[in-house]
Amino acid sequence: MDAGFTAEQDEIRRTLRELLHRRCGSEELRAALDTPGGHDTALWSTLAEQLGLPGLALPEAYGGVGCSVTELALASEELGRALAPVPLLATAVLAGPVVRALGTGAQCAELLPRLASGALTGALAVPGTALATALALTGGNGGEWAGGGRAGGVQARRVGEGWRLYGEVGQVLDGHSAGLLVIAAHAGGFARSRTLFFLVSGDAAGLVRLRQTALDATRPQGRLQLRDVEAELLGGEDGRGVLGALSSVGDSAAAVLACEAVGAADRALERTVEYVRQREQFGRAIGSFQAVKHRLADVYVQLQAARSAAYYAAWAAGQGGERAGGLALAQALEALRCAAAEGIQLHGGIGFTWEHDAHLYFKRASGDELLFGPVHRLRARAADAARLFEGREVSV
């Protein structure tokens, strides 16, 4: 592994940071969160049209840039610093890769160029709170997360040559606004139950979408109600490869999320350091007190360890080798929570106010842990995958 960045990677980071500094300040962020979709559509258009961000990790044959997961992760780090209100995670990290992994040639040729251009946004919908399990981040992905065909989730039935879906899915990232929904559903009844993925248009008849109140408003979520909705099967009807594809997508998504969390933690720490240098108490800046220095030094060490793990996981995902995303995500989420919590504490009274942005970083840490964690389960899954505790006892 080459620990240095290429000139292209440095350019991606620099360009994004400069753009977000101009276009994604506190006022712009809060204004976007108050819109029905929860996104800054103008910023998304700029990122898509001028930088090609949604198609960064897609092949050129599908209208993408042709980079790897590593470049997408580095770009997400800059988005994480600004908590940018754009649908990149749902579109380019979750829905798009699932379509590419499971879709037929015709489906990929039709959908991926539109996703790469940003003209079409996507959302991945799995039953209940099982997103982390479905992506094989917090448990073995044996299909149990889909419910085994029992009541609940989404059911699929054949009608002539097509499919119809009925049921409900909650906590779908950008599910209330995405133009394309990639929905996991049961098919075949209880005896022959299998999990398949279906494509549903955002304006399909019988589909009811509601934006939910989420802990982290910078990651808007929707609830989907499907009332005999027409759907297109994604890939083959036998369901082969679904679980393996989800597991692969999960590792790449975890690496991207880890870098994004590192970016958010870095910015939270940066803002805290700026504040303690200015805030005075007893005639001197509070940042000069040894206790404050020690606390921030601990955050810095934890952040740098998380950054190293996140970069390695992104590199490994780009090489298609070792699966390090889950463990890197655990370390990054813990670093973000620590940086955000210390930031609130050291900002004092102002840090607890709604008007200050400190709480947005803390909610990002908590919200991501609810969606993709918790941290101890991410670590337990990594330990199980590495068979860390399966060694024989040694007698003395």
Side-chain angles (χ1 to χ4, degrees):
M1 173 184 176
D2 184 357
F5 294 120
T6 65
E8 183 180 48
Q9 291 169 343
D10 280 329
E11 183 65 17
I12 290 173
R13 289 157 56 88
R14 183 192 63 80
T15 303
L16 263 178
R17 184 170 299 193
E18 291 178 355
L19 173 64
L20 294 172
H21 180 72
R22 297 193 311 267
R23 297 282 300 275
C24 193
S26 180
E27 293 183 3
E28 292 84 357
L29 172 60
R30 291 170 183 266
L33 300 185
D34 290 336
T35 62
H39 297 136
D40 187 336
T41 55
L43 176 62
W44 175 247
S45 297
T46 300
L47 294 175
E49 296 170 5
Q50 297 184 15
L51 303 181
L53 205 59
L56 195 61
L58 285 176
E60 294 181 9
Y62 294 125
V65 179
C67 294
S68 68
V69 176
T70 305
E71 283 73 24
L72 182 60
L74 294 176
S76 294
E77 181 182 358
E78 298 304 321
L79 295 178
R81 284 179 57 87
L83 301 181
V86 292
L88 183 76
L89 174 62
T91 299
V93 182
L94 296 176
V98 171
V99 171
R100 183 185 175 192
L102 297 177
T104 63
Q107 288 172 332
C108 290
E110 178 189 357
L111 296 174
L112 291 182
R114 296 167 62 196
L115 291 172
S117 69
L120 179 67
T121 58
L124 178 65
V126 298
T129 58
L131 180 60
T133 305
L135 296 175
L137 297 178
T138 57
N141 186 3
E144 296 84 358
W145 54 271
R150 297 172 175 82
V154 179
Q155 306 297 322
R157 62 185 178 90
R158 262 200 173 280
V159 178
E161 295 298 321
W163 292 84
R164 293 278 179 171
L165 304 182
Y166 60 95
E168 182 175 286
V169 189
Q171 296 184 342
V172 181
L173 286 173
D174 297 332
H176 60 295
S177 61
L180 174 69
L181 302 172
V182 183
I183 303 176
H186 310 300
F190 178 74
R192 298 177 57 251
S193 176
R194 60 196 184 281
T195 300
L196 301 175
F197 276 89
F198 295 87
L199 303 172
V200 174
S201 174
D203 58 359
L207 173 64
V208 178
R209 305 195 287 178
L210 302 171
R211 183 178 177 181
Q212 294 181 296
T213 300
L215 173 63
D216 178 15
T218 65
R219 286 218 198 280
Q221 300 175 25
R223 177 177 296 276
L224 311 180
Q225 296 177 351
L226 300 110
R227 303 169 181 175
D228 200 30
V229 175
E230 183 178 359
E232 177 185 351
L233 178 65
L234 180 64
E237 189 173 334
D238 56 7
R240 293 179 182 175
V242 169
L243 300 181
L246 278 178
S247 179
S248 178
V249 169
D251 184 66
S252 298
V256 173
L257 282 162
C259 284
E260 185 188 70
V262 164
D266 187 48
R267 181 56 181 151
L269 176 59
E270 186 179 279
R271 295 183 65 151
T272 304
V273 171
E274 291 173 357
Y275 180 77
V276 299
R277 284 175 172 173
Q278 299 171 2
R279 178 72 170 92
E280 292 188 357
Q281 188 72 359
F282 306 111
R284 55 191 288 195
I286 63 175
S288 64
F289 294 118
Q290 192 174 41
V292 174
K293 291 180 179 179
H294 285 175
R295 292 173 69 169
L296 292 178
D298 289 341
V299 175
Y300 178 78
V301 170
Q302 191 171 14
L303 170 60
Q304 293 306 316
R307 174 176 277 120
S308 296
Y311 286 173
Y312 178 79
W315 173 82
Q319 299 296 314
E322 181 183 354
R323 302 174 62 86
L327 193 57
L329 179 58
Q331 196 157 351
L333 289 179
E334 194 169 51
L336 175 55
R337 175 181 282 273
C338 179
E342 289 289 3
I344 290 175
Q345 287 287 325
L346 294 177
H347 272 85
I350 193 175
F352 288 86
T353 63
W354 184 262
E355 290 74 15
H356 199 275
D357 289 344
H359 71 94
L360 295 176
Y361 289 90
F362 189 81
K363 288 178 179 177
R364 169 60 67 89
S366 301
D368 276 5
E369 194 168 345
L370 288 173
L371 282 170
F372 302 102
V375 166
H376 70 274
R377 289 186 179 175
L378 288 167
R379 287 191 169 131
R381 169 60 180 162
D384 290 341
R387 306 177 69 177
L388 193 60
F389 301 113
E390 292 185 11
R392 293 179 298 175
E393 294 185 2
V394 178
S395 57
V396 179

